[in-house]
Amino acid sequence: MKRRQHPSKILFFFIVVPLVLLAGLAVYVVKPFFFSPTPADVRYVSVCETTCPETHFPYQDPSLSTEERTTDLMQRMTNAEKIGQMALIEKNSIKDSADIAKYGLGALMSGGGAKPDENTPEGWLHMVTAFQRVSQRTRLGIPLFYGVDANHGHSNVPGAALFPHAIGLAASNDPALVRKVAIATAEEVAATGMNWVYSPNLDVAQDMRWGRAYETFGSDPKRVGTLGRASVEGLQSVLQNDSRIAASAKHYVGNGSTEWGSSTNIHFSMDQGNSKISEAELRRMHLEPFKQAIEADVKSVMVGLNKWNGEKIVFHTYLLTDVLKQELGFKGFVVSDWYGVYENEWDRYHALVKAINAGVDMVMLPFDYAYFSESMHHALANGDISQTRVDDAVYRILRAKFETGIFDHALPEVVEEGRIGSLEHRELARMAVQKSLVLLKNENTLPLSKKTPHILVAGSAADNIGKQSGGWTVEWQGIDGNWIPGSTMLKGIQDAVSPSTKVEYDLAAHFNDLQGLADIGIAVVGEKPYAEGWGDDAHPTLSLEDRETIARLKKQSRKIVVVIVSGRPLDITADAKDWNAVVAAWLPGSEGAGVADGLFGNVPFTGTLPVEWALN
Ligand code: BGC
Ligand code: BGC
């Protein structure tokens, strides 16, 4: 016979115990929100109302060593000033620009497409200059880091020279070229007053369904390491006007091995996901490139939004402190990624405590700095975060600021004529495009004769600078059309051929009054721009539209050349056998004419695949 539970026992186990547990949990989570508010004189930074009195502190003296300067500045700082240095805010989240001084903020940024009101190089310079001026209205006048994603040139700024995305540069496998591209990028960034970029991307992409594969130098850790190092060297080199910018190696670590379906973002599949790999594999595949970046003295490392065996990297003391800082000897500062400390965390206070204690030095909040400041004051006051940890974080950030020279170099007053998208940079970009081309298939077709009598050109990417530039171009998710300067592939073809050649173009290959077959049909097809998890794709392939265009073009031409514009290998196994030649052009950027240089033999095809691409 079943024994019946006494009703009071039921009450106890099913109601009282859960209630007590819940109440305990609530107190734990909510307690920090009842922090006795930090008094204003402790919480805020001392601001000079009009102009600050001139000071002559040792840290302002460029003849002293970086160590002497950093130490001198540190010993003058209040905790409010230190906490401010650890905050990175997206410029659109600054409620009142006076807050930059009030909270002594250390760094601002533009996310993809976060542009100034006037989206011109001058507009960017004015915006950054105005923010820096506010930072100078503080007792210690510590300048801001202003960070931006300059993934393939200074790509938020219309008019900049846009280089091939990393996957294309990787196909060149040419470190000297990558270094030059990085220097040109740094020059354009510095010309608009910014001093920090969120590149290079050192993820080692293992699965081409990932929407960020094109931001990487491919799937071979050696290639990623060599090119990543060249990129760091170029980005951080001393520029013509004697200024420098800081680079950020990202995303530490293992981001390229996340599993399909493991993303914690409901819109994504792989991005922001989990990698299930052994430590040996993590080290062999993903750590190597970071070692090289550290040897090249990279000033910052950005922590990924990913997990390793179920644990978020941003909370991973072993990876951030033991491996990165101690074992690899990283002397720069660790910055978290976009909202990465708080994402999916219902207990934000303890998430912050965990991340800082794990080794994060600067938090890309990127929104609520008032809450961050209050939490940090509270955590320091009650010992959740030690003074030593905060001092280490701030020391790292300030040292990077001194090393980059931003205390000593005034911002440019105007954007020097010809600096942005200069002819020189465009020529370099065109050369980079030439070297990035990979000849996937060629049945006695390429190079084409410049005297070919009749050429048809078609396809969604033939006449579209937006498409050929991919994501992270003016907008986070890229743009459509020909409204930024550059050359399309169609233009390149038209310019390459002899005066006697007839080139006809129709996007969808409806050439209605053709008489007989054309000699050559060139289809330029591929992916629409995307960024991050929005590009996660279970089966990257050509669109039905593109395939129909190619089929139409084939019927109207003796031979057909297909140029694929994409961030990754597309599955073309069903169709490629019908095509005479196939060229992978990746995402070439603004100088599409470089593709025609390859097609018409101005340069040989020298690119090699940085990732696997099966044709059958
Ligand atoms: C991306 C980073 C990027 C940052 C700032 C994040 O979502 O993961 O790669 O640097 O945003 O735009
Ligand atoms: C920003 C990007 C950022 C992304 C993260 C976007 O709104 O523009 O820079 O990487 O959010 O989710």
Side-chain angles (χ1 to χ4, degrees):
M1 207 180 91
K2 263 189 171 177
R3 272 187 48 198
R4 299 222 10 221
Q5 295 283 349
H6 192 274
S8 68
K9 264 198 182 157
I10 296 179
L11 188 76
F12 184 75
F13 283 113
F14 291 96
I15 301 191
V16 178
V17 170
L19 273 182
V20 169
L21 285 177
L22 265 178
L25 196 66
V27 169
Y28 174 74
V29 173
V30 167
K31 207 177 104 218
F33 293 89
F34 289 108
F35 348 101
S36 44
T38 317
D41 59 329
V42 177
R43 179 163 174 198
Y44 300 127
V45 167
S46 156
V47 176
C48 332
E49 285 315 329
T50 44
T51 38
C52 293
E54 209 175 304
T55 52
H56 296 281
F57 293 126
Y59 72 84
Q60 291 160 316
D61 177 357
S63 72
L64 296 184
S65 73
T66 301
E67 266 57 41
E68 287 168 313
R69 298 178 80 182
T70 316
T71 309
D72 177 69
L73 175 53
M74 286 284 301
Q75 75 186 22
R76 294 172 197 284
M77 291 170 83
T78 63
N79 269 335
E81 285 157 340
K82 290 178 182 170
I83 288 168
Q85 287 303 307
M86 296 173 72
L88 168 57
I89 297 93
E90 222 273 345
K91 64 110 184 159
N92 290 332
S93 294
I94 302 287
K95 294 189 188 78
D96 171 356
S97 67
D99 284 352
I100 295 170
K102 185 172 162 187
Y103 289 92
L105 300 179
L108 304 187
M109 64 178 285
S110 280
K115 44 190 158 292
D117 295 338
E118 181 209 326
N119 195 8
T120 60
E122 285 72 24
W124 283 86
L125 177 61
H126 289 156
M127 174 181 77
V128 178
T129 307
F131 288 141
Q132 289 288 16
R133 286 217 178 100
V134 187
S135 77
Q136 295 311 295
R137 293 215 326 259
T138 51
R139 192 175 69 98
L140 297 169
I142 305 175
L144 296 159
F145 263 134
Y146 196 102
V148 73
D149 291 283
N151 292 357
H152 60 135
H154 195 7
S155 50
N156 277 292
V157 182
L162 301 182
F163 299 93
H165 270 290
I167 193 85
L169 293 180
S172 80
N173 203 10
D174 181 344
L177 174 74
V178 170
R179 191 176 296 109
K180 281 188 201 150
V181 166
I183 294 174
T185 303
E187 273 170 2
E188 297 205 9
V189 168
T192 53
M194 280 160 266
N195 49 26
W196 186 23
V197 292
Y198 302 135
S199 42
N201 186 314
L202 302 183
D203 296 334
V204 186
Q206 297 302 299
D207 185 331
M208 294 302 122
R209 296 175 296 179
W210 186 32
R212 302 197 81 159
Y214 71 86
E215 293 183 48
T216 77
F217 290 118
S219 52
D220 167 14
K222 277 224 180 70
R223 202 182 280 214
V224 176
T226 311
L227 300 180
R229 181 190 188 116
S231 180
V232 171
E233 288 166 357
L235 287 169
Q236 295 192 158
S237 58
V238 179
L239 305 172
Q240 273 174 357
N241 62 355
D242 217 26
S243 67
R244 286 174 81 176
I245 68 167
S248 192
K250 71 185 187 186
H251 304 83
Y252 186 81
V253 61
N255 214 17
S257 283
T258 57
E259 288 191 339
W260 184 261
S262 71
S263 180
T264 43
N265 183 316
I266 51 164
H267 302 288
F268 304 165
S269 301
M270 273 189 77
D271 195 38
Q272 303 180 13
N274 179 38
S275 16
K276 275 197 222 147
I277 50 175
S278 68
E279 179 170 347
E281 180 67 358
L282 184 78
R283 284 174 174 270
R284 187 186 70 80
M285 184 61 80
H286 300 285
L287 199 62
E288 192 52 40
F290 286 92
K291 277 192 195 157
Q292 299 234 23
I294 291 165
E295 274 173 35
D297 194 24
V298 71
K299 301 295 175 209
S300 63
V301 164
M302 190 190 293
V303 187
L305 298 166
N306 56 314
K307 294 179 179 169
W308 176 44
N309 294 328
E311 275 184 73
K312 279 193 186 181
I313 312 285
V314 80
F315 300 146
H316 216 294
T317 310
Y318 173 68
L319 289 177
L320 299 184
T321 296
D322 301 2
V323 176
L324 180 65
K325 291 180 177 174
Q326 282 161 12
E327 185 185 319
L328 302 188
F330 174 56
K331 295 273 177 299
F333 65 95
V334 172
V335 59
S336 57
D337 197 356
W338 188 272
Y339 202 63
V341 168
Y342 297 134
E343 190 77 67
N344 299 321
E345 297 295 326
W346 44 275
D347 180 358
R348 294 203 302 156
Y349 173 77
H350 289 101
L352 177 66
V353 166
K354 257 197 288 180
I356 304 291
N357 286 337
V360 170
D361 302 309
M362 183 189 276
V363 181
M364 192 189 291
L365 289 161
F367 314 114
D368 192 351
Y369 46 92
Y371 174 77
F372 168 79
S373 152
E374 189 64 82
S375 317
M376 286 296 295
H377 279 288
H378 181 74
L380 265 173
N382 71 7
D384 280 346
I385 296 175
S386 69
Q387 186 71 49
T388 319
R389 178 72 270 276
V390 167
D391 287 351
D392 171 53
V394 177
Y395 191 93
R396 287 167 175 272
I397 294 163
L398 292 175
R399 178 172 47 201
K401 286 187 176 180
F402 281 116
E403 284 172 344
T404 314
I406 63 175
F407 277 86
D408 310 322
H409 290 286
L411 285 183
E413 296 203 341
V414 289
V415 181
E416 216 183 299
E417 188 61 31
R419 273 259 149 259
I420 303 298
S422 66
L423 191 63
E424 197 191 333
H425 290 175
R426 289 188 187 283
E427 277 168 3
L428 175 64
R430 182 168 177 163
M431 193 211 286
V433 174
Q434 297 166 352
K435 294 194 171 189
S436 73
L437 302 174
V438 179
L439 188 56
L440 293 176
K441 173 178 179 179
N442 189 15
E443 293 173 348
N444 294 324
T445 306
L446 294 176
L448 301 172
S449 161
K450 292 180 182 170
K451 296 202 174 115
T452 308
H454 190 189
I455 297 176
L456 302 179
V457 181
S460 58
D463 189 25
N464 196 321
I465 296 181
K467 282 212 174 113
Q468 75 197 31
S469 299
W472 299 102
T473 300
V474 185
E475 298 294 343
W476 183 35
Q477 296 295 322
I479 56 169
D480 187 29
N482 289 337
W483 54 276
I484 53 170
S487 57
T488 65
M489 286 173 254
L490 172 64
K491 178 78 172 54
I493 294 167
Q494 287 164 335
D495 289 349
V497 296
S498 70
S500 62
T501 302
K502 184 176 172 196
V503 177
E504 289 186 85
Y505 165 71
D506 185 76
L507 191 141
H510 291 293
F511 298 100
N512 296 327
D513 29 61
L514 271 191
Q515 317 202 322
L517 294 179
D519 302 287
I520 297 287
I522 304 177
V524 188
V525 292
E527 291 187 307
K528 290 199 181 95
Y530 52 80
E532 303 191 36
W534 298 106
D536 288 351
D537 185 345
H539 184 207
T541 184
L542 289 176
S543 68
L544 184 62
E545 256 174 354
D546 273 339
R547 295 178 63 204
E548 286 172 355
T549 301
I550 299 171
R552 256 193 302 278
L553 190 66
K554 190 174 153 56
K555 284 198 195 127
Q556 304 169 94
S557 332
R558 287 200 180 85
K559 278 187 167 186
I560 184 148
V561 177
V562 176
V563 176
I564 298 190
V565 173
S566 66
R568 54 187 153 196
L570 301 184
D571 179 4
I572 49 172
T573 46
D575 304 292
K577 55 185 180 318
D578 298 333
W579 309 336
N580 303 94
V582 186
V583 175
W586 312 106
L587 298 167
S590 59
E591 307 312 304
V595 176
D597 293 328
L599 298 179
F600 290 94
N602 289 346
V603 292
F605 288 97
T606 51
T608 55
L609 285 174
V611 293
E612 244 177 72
W613 190 328
L615 283 198
N616 45 44

